[in-house]
Amino acid sequence: MSASQTYRSTRSKVDQAVSFEDAVMTGLAKDGGLFVPSQIPKLPSDFLEKWSDLSFEELAFNILRNFIAASEIPDADLKLLVEKSYSTFRTKDVTPLVKLDSHDNLYLLELFHGPTYAFKDVALQFVGNLFEYFLTRKNAAKKEGEQRDIITVVGATSGDTGSAAIYGLRNKKDVSVFILYPTGRISPIQELQMTTVLDDNIHTLSLKGTFDDCQDLVKQVFNDSKFNDKYHVGAINSINWARILAQITYYFHAYFQLVKQLPEAEKKNLKVKYVVPSGNFGDILAGFFATQLGLPVEELVIATNENDILDRFLNTGKYDKASTVKATFSPAMDICVSSNFERLLWYAIKATTAGGDDNKAGEILAQFMSDLSSKGIFEVAPETLAKIKSDFDSRMITNELTGATIKDTYASTSNHYILDPHTAVGIATAQKKMAVDPEAKSTKYIALSTAHPAKFSEVVNESLGGFEGYSFEDQVLPEEFKQLSNIPKKIKLVESTDLATIEAIIVEELSKEKKV
Ligand SMILES: *Cc1c(COP(=O)(O)O)cnc(C)c1O
């Protein structure tokens, strides 16, 4: 295995390389850190020409190949995994790039054409196939009657993660999925998307409690080492490296689509900025890896809602956890801390205060993370902040501006483009940036569109209800969503939120599935 294709923990003080398979199947390192590639390869200098006409699937294969050793997944198998993962998308381009004609130089990268209409599908369709691939291989080597290896995925959701995980993992051999959500606190469409999946291996648990209670329980299940050893608890949230990895592709794909759409004169000295609605920092982190591979990106712009820990960090160098989460119009970005930011910090610390030393970077970061959990805050050195700011910028967008942006975009585009509230946070950020960018005339902004507006009907209808001729049913709601309420539902209502109850339910369902 070559050095570039092993993984290490962001908190480790010694070099303990693990394989891609172990990094993906365990999710989190034993020391509580996140897995990062030991080295990031640099693509050959002619890749911009050579890759310019590749399909989404071909690009995905080339990028994945740089982070997964061929000894772990041979070329032919990797190709099949990629093809299978993106065959479920509704457009041939997988993630099409469209221009908003309300502005010069403003583009939207539509990431919502997967099975659940959210950007998380791009990664989770692949992760599901990957889990199945590794388990099938392990179990093929077992003797008759020997216990099969399984993975028991346990996750909490306030909306999009749950349905995207369910659609990624439904009907996968040796995989069982338990998704916990707070009763009555997710949107009706999102609940229907999850509970109408009837496959035996999918279990949705509606819990009497808050999203934080659900997340707490998931952490407790992970930390119960006896339970974890026995049932192989797996993670599908964006701490899982495979999710970040799968998202790198669309940064390249968007770049090449943009070049194709531009007149010849504008292709030279092209400057591209990506604007990304961010919560746990998984989506935009994939953009960082794209730049490290060699994609020429002028800037990555973090768009946050009023839960703005990232924007405050970029302004001060202090990572200061808020005491409560604010409920905003863009609920998938309502977070107190941004879990994947740890990965970026590791690289920035390594390049600055750790003098290029991996282990020293792990040591410094482990201390920061311990300060975060004991004091709720840590502060990085000025040179670490400067390093991050050389690649990133940020803006915070209020609820009010989010709604106004949905409205303005509808009014000012010739096709009455309808944004979902998360995407609106990105568009508002792009507009704020363009207004003060001295090179706005020659810079292309690509805003990532992370969800379909039908998933967030309340805000969208509130913003657009006043327009004559606007109709949610006709202009927004996909045919598939209209059918959902006619499909039978499978939900388990859980009255209590204690660990013993949840673990008992998991074991009971696994035994019904004949997995234990
Ligand atoms: C998950 C999600 C986000 C935030 O993505 P991160 O990777 O957590 O930063 C933004 N928008 C939508 C619609 C999402 O589902």
Side-chain angles (χ1 to χ4, degrees), residues 117-120 159-161 190 238 243-244 247 250 276-285 303 310 330-335 338-340 420-423 448-452 455-456:
Y117 293 75
F119 95 92
K120 292 182 171 74
D160 277 349
T161 306
Q190 288 178 321
S238 61
R243 278 192 55 183
I244 310 297
Q247 290 165 181
Y250 50 70
V276 188
S278 295
N280 271 324
F281 205 74
D283 197 359
I284 197 165
L285 185 72
L310 292 169
S330 44
M333 290 150 53
D334 289 350
I335 46 92
S338 228
S339 47
N340 275 292
D420 103 281
H422 303 80
T423 308
L448 274 55
S449 176
T450 51
H452 189 284
K455 301 193 82 169
F456 303 94

Side-chain angles (χ1 to χ4, degrees), residues 438-462:
E439 301 198 62
K441 275 207 169 63
S442 59
T443 304
K444 308 292 175 194
Y445 280 79
I446 297 180
L448 274 55
S449 176
T450 51
H452 189 284
K455 301 193 82 169
F456 303 94
S457 55
E458 212 172 303
V459 186
V460 172
N461 284 337
E462 204 171 290

Side-chain angles (χ1 to χ4, degrees), residues 355-368:
D357 185 318
D358 288 1
N359 298 329
K360 183 94 192 359
E363 191 180 329
I364 296 170
L365 188 59
Q367 184 58 49
F368 280 153

Side-chain angles (χ1 to χ4, degrees), residues 291-402:
T291 67
Q292 299 303 295
L293 282 165
L295 188 70
V297 175
E298 191 69 14
E299 195 170 54
L300 294 164
V301 186
I302 302 163
T304 81
N305 64 24
E306 292 170 31
N307 297 290
D308 60 349
I309 185 167
L310 292 169
D311 186 52
R312 286 183 286 118
F313 175 86
L314 258 76
N315 289 322
T316 63
K318 293 190 179 106
Y319 197 69
D320 184 358
K321 182 180 168 175
S323 50
T324 52
V325 189
K326 289 184 194 158
T328 72
F329 288 167
S330 44
M333 290 150 53
D334 289 350
I335 46 92
C336 274
V337 293
S338 228
S339 47
N340 275 292
F341 196 58
E342 177 168 347
R343 287 187 162 113
L344 177 67
L345 274 173
W346 186 80
Y347 285 103
I349 291 168
K350 178 180 162 181
T352 55
T353 48
D357 185 318
D358 288 1
N359 298 329
K360 183 94 192 359
E363 191 180 329
I364 296 170
L365 188 59
Q367 184 58 49
F368 280 153
M369 289 314 190
S370 140
D371 290 348
L372 184 67
S373 74
S374 61
K375 301 177 202 144
I377 186 170
F378 65 81
E379 180 171 8
V380 302
E383 56 269 39
T384 306
L385 179 61
K387 176 78 184 156
I388 289 173
K389 289 181 79 147
S390 68
D391 292 315
F392 290 87
D393 193 11
S394 67
R395 290 291 186 278
M396 185 277 283
I397 305 299
T398 60
N399 264 347
E400 194 184 350
L401 186 53
T402 306

Side-chain angles (χ1 to χ4, degrees), residues 54-339:
L54 298 187
S55 67
F56 186 96
E57 288 84 352
E58 288 165 330
L59 281 174
F61 173 82
N62 285 355
I63 290 160
L64 295 168
R65 189 71 295 168
N66 274 281
F67 292 96
I68 308 170
S71 57
E72 285 197 72
I73 307 180
D75 281 1
D77 292 357
L78 189 57
K79 276 197 181 119
L80 283 176
L81 280 172
V82 165
E83 275 160 26
K84 194 170 168 194
S85 300
Y86 301 112
S87 66
T88 53
F89 280 64
R90 292 180 302 278
T91 56
K92 191 175 91 15
D93 274 343
V94 184
T95 57
L97 184 75
V98 302
K99 183 161 184 339
L100 289 187
D101 63 6
S102 51
H103 292 78
D104 289 336
N105 299 334
L106 181 55
Y107 296 78
L108 259 190
L109 180 62
E110 292 185 342
L111 302 175
F112 54 75
H113 295 288
T116 74
Y117 293 75
F119 95 92
K120 292 182 171 74
D121 288 327
V122 180
L124 282 162
Q125 287 291 303
F126 176 68
V127 169
N129 289 318
L130 205 54
F131 280 176
E132 185 179 56
Y133 176 80
F134 285 138
L135 287 168
T136 303
R137 186 163 67 187
K138 269 192 177 151
N139 287 324
K142 301 235 149 135
K143 292 187 194 70
E144 176 99 17
E146 208 179 332
Q147 175 74 42
R148 291 177 76 83
D149 272 13
I150 58 165
I151 189 166
T152 306
V153 168
V154 184
T157 190
S158 56
D160 277 349
T161 306
S163 51
I166 286 172
Y167 275 77
L169 297 169
R170 66 190 294 183
N171 207 19
K172 299 284 184 236
K173 210 168 156 55
D174 302 314
V175 180
S176 294
V177 184
F178 295 83
I179 298 293
L180 282 50
Y181 67 91
T183 306
R185 303 210 194 181
I186 65 171
S187 85
I189 283 276
Q190 288 178 321
E191 182 168 29
L192 278 174
Q193 279 185 304
M194 294 197 284
T195 55
T196 51
V197 175
L198 304 175
D199 303 63
D200 286 343
N201 73 327
I202 301 298
H203 311 276
T204 44
L205 309 183
S206 177
L207 251 78
K208 205 166 172 177
T210 63
F211 173 62
D212 286 336
D213 294 333
C214 295
Q215 212 160 19
D216 258 9
L217 265 172
V218 170
K219 272 191 204 137
Q220 289 177 48
V221 174
F222 267 87
N223 292 336
D224 180 348
S225 53
K226 251 172 93 184
F227 189 86
N228 198 335
D229 286 349
K230 191 155 181 202
Y231 302 109
H232 303 279
V233 183
I236 34 76
N237 52 10
S238 61
I239 60 163
N240 196 312
W241 164 251
R243 278 192 55 183
I244 310 297
L245 176 58
Q247 290 165 181
I248 299 173
T249 307
Y250 50 70
Y251 285 87
F252 283 82
H253 194 48
Y255 187 92
F256 292 125
Q257 286 183 86
L258 175 65
V259 171
K260 276 193 203 124
Q261 292 180 18
L262 293 177
E264 218 43 56
E266 291 186 35
K267 291 184 188 180
K268 281 194 210 83
N269 306 319
L270 183 58
K271 289 199 196 70
V272 185
K273 297 189 178 183
Y274 290 83
V275 183
V276 188
S278 295
N280 271 324
F281 205 74
D283 197 359
I284 197 165
L285 185 72
F288 172 74
F289 282 102
T291 67
Q292 299 303 295
L293 282 165
L295 188 70
V297 175
E298 191 69 14
E299 195 170 54
L300 294 164
V301 186
I302 302 163
T304 81
N305 64 24
E306 292 170 31
N307 297 290
D308 60 349
I309 185 167
L310 292 169
D311 186 52
R312 286 183 286 118
F313 175 86
L314 258 76
N315 289 322
T316 63
K318 293 190 179 106
Y319 197 69
D320 184 358
K321 182 180 168 175
S323 50
T324 52
V325 189
K326 289 184 194 158
T328 72
F329 288 167
S330 44
M333 290 150 53
D334 289 350
I335 46 92
C336 274
V337 293
S338 228
S339 47

